[in-house]
């Protein structure tokens, strides 16, 4: 019998150290993101730095299709709740915009200047503001920590107003962190400051989904085993709580390039996200 036990929790959640050529990022995101913003701005289809709160990072960018929007996609960036911002991910709006959806991309206050519970509240405010600007169905997606935040929005303790929650048709959590308890064992928790109470109240896998929620948990086949486990975990638990769930492992993708499909209207990731 082969037992499995994680002895090095920092390594279990270390992406860059375990991906060949990881020094390509974040430049591999930054350059296409800037190019996308430039094109959309030149076409008058980008509204940048829309305030949704009082904090300096309480801003989102909104990218518009060339027709009346079919609905709204919200993409929430990752970075372990303490790194990156919306400017690195703009090109990932390409799939949604090319499919006729408006796409909102918020930044948020980062740890240690805020607790994860506070970020949850900020993202709720960002989604509420964007949803007031664009009608129709609402799709939520996010990467890594952003996957946590997207799935957290469709739990029964969501910060979203009821009328906004009713518009959500699909959530796609990409490499999402759905159980925060293991992160309490990592060195990064000196900045995240997750304690047992916060883990219990902010982990989607430990919460109940709202009625009728549909969620896809999507990860790359080359991810760290903990991300694959977390991916399967939420779909498994929420199936037992009445949600409509699926878990996808995309072959030949790792933690950094698993999001690339969102830039392409024809990619399975985009098609999955906007499907109803």
């Amino acid at each position: 019998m082969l037992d499995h036990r994680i002895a090095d929790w920092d390594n279990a959640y270390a992406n860059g150290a375990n991906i060949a050529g990881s020094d390509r990022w974040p430049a591999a995101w930054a350059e296409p993101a800037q190019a996308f913003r430039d094109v959309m701005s030149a076409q008058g289809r980008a509204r940048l730095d829309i305030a949704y709160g009082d904090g300096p990072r309480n801003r989102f960018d909104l990218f518009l299709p060339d027709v009346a929007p079919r609905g709204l996609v919200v993409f929430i960036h990752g970075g372990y709740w303490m790194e990156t911002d919306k400017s690195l991910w703009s090109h990932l709006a390409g799939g949604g915009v090319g499919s006729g959806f408006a796409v909102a991309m918020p930044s948020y206050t980062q740890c240690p200047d805020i607790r994860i519970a506070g970020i949850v509240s900020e993202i709720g405010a960002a989604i509420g503001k964007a949803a007031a600007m664009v009608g129709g169905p609402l799709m939520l997606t996010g990467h890594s920590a952003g996957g946590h935040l997207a799935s957290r929005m469709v739990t029964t303790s969501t910060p979203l107003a009821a009328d906004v929650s009713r518009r959500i048709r699909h959530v796609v959590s990409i490499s999402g962190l759905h159980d925060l308890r293991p992160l309490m064992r990592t060195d990064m928790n000196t900045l995240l400051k997750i304690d047992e109470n916060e883990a219990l109240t902010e982990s989607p896998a430990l919460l109940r989904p709202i009625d009728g929620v549909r969620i896809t948990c999507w990860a790359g086949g080359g991810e760290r085993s903990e991300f694959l486990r977390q991916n399967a975990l939420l779909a498994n638990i929420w199936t037992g709580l009445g949600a409509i769930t699926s878990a996808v492992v995309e072959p030949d993708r790792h933690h950094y390039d698993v999001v690339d499909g969102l830039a392409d209207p024809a990619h399975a990731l985009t098609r999955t996200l906007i499907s109803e």
Side-chain angles (χ1 to χ4, degrees):
M1 187 172 76
L2 182 64
D3 294 328
H4 180 69
R5 178 178 180 271
I6 296 175
D8 186 344
W9 288 96
D10 290 305
N11 185 55
Y13 284 93
N15 291 300
N18 291 287
I19 296 173
S22 63
D23 56 347
R24 289 181 51 215
W25 289 271
W29 295 318
E31 294 173 12
Q34 182 64 61
F36 182 85
R37 283 197 305 280
D38 290 345
V39 169
M40 295 295 285
S41 295
Q43 296 175 358
R45 295 164 55 197
R47 297 185 61 183
L48 306 179
D49 292 322
I50 299 170
Y52 68 83
D54 296 331
R57 293 177 60 92
N58 293 163
R59 302 288 185 272
F60 66 86
D61 295 339
L62 182 66
F63 301 104
L64 300 169
D66 56 6
V67 294
R70 295 171 54 192
L72 175 67
V73 170
V74 179
F75 172 83
I76 308 164
H77 74 79
Y80 281 123
W81 306 274
M82 57 185 179
E83 297 175 345
T84 85
D85 62 41
K86 59 185 175 60
S87 68
L88 289 178
W89 313 89
S90 305
H91 59 297
L92 299 183
V97 167
S99 302
F101 286 80
V103 179
M105 294 189 158
S107 288
Y108 46 85
T109 308
Q110 295 182 326
C111 300
D113 295 332
I114 194 172
R115 298 288 292 269
I116 289 175
I119 298 175
V120 168
S121 295
E122 289 191 352
I123 291 300
I127 293 171
K129 178 68 176 281
M133 298 173 66
V134 180
L138 179 58
M139 321 299 191
L140 306 182
T141 187
H143 175 233
S144 197
H148 159 268
L149 293 165
S151 53
R152 177 68 178 81
M153 292 300 113
V154 289
T155 64
T156 54
S157 55
T158 179
L160 298 177
D163 60 330
V164 176
S165 291
R166 284 193 292 269
R167 289 172 52 188
I168 298 172
R169 296 293 179 268
H170 196 190
V171 176
V172 177
S173 176
I174 306 169
S175 306
L177 295 162
H178 304 127
D179 182 356
L180 303 182
R181 292 174 297 179
L183 298 170
M184 295 168 60
R185 298 171 177 261
T186 67
D187 287 345
M188 74 178 100
N189 201 43
T190 59
L191 296 177
L192 298 176
K193 303 185 187 304
I194 303 168
D195 57 26
E196 186 74 13
N197 181 68
E198 186 167 53
L200 294 175
T201 59
E202 300 301 334
S203 295
L206 305 180
L207 301 173
R208 300 191 70 87
I210 59 177
D211 290 341
V213 69
R214 177 171 168 244
I215 188 165
T216 297
C217 299
W218 188 291
E223 301 250 21
R224 304 293 291 152
S225 62
E226 268 297 273
F227 283 91
L228 292 170
R229 186 185 69 82
Q230 292 253 7
N231 192 64
L233 177 69
L234 186 64
N236 191 333
I237 291 176
W238 278 15
T239 296
L241 297 176
I244 303 167
T245 71
S246 61
V248 176
V249 177
E250 184 179 1
D252 303 318
R253 295 285 183 173
H254 56 63
H255 192 74
Y256 293 156
D257 64 9
V258 68
V259 294
D260 289 354
L262 289 178
D264 180 3
H267 192 279
L269 181 54
T270 297
R271 305 313 304 167
T272 298
L273 173 63
I274 64 174
S275 64
E276 294 190 60

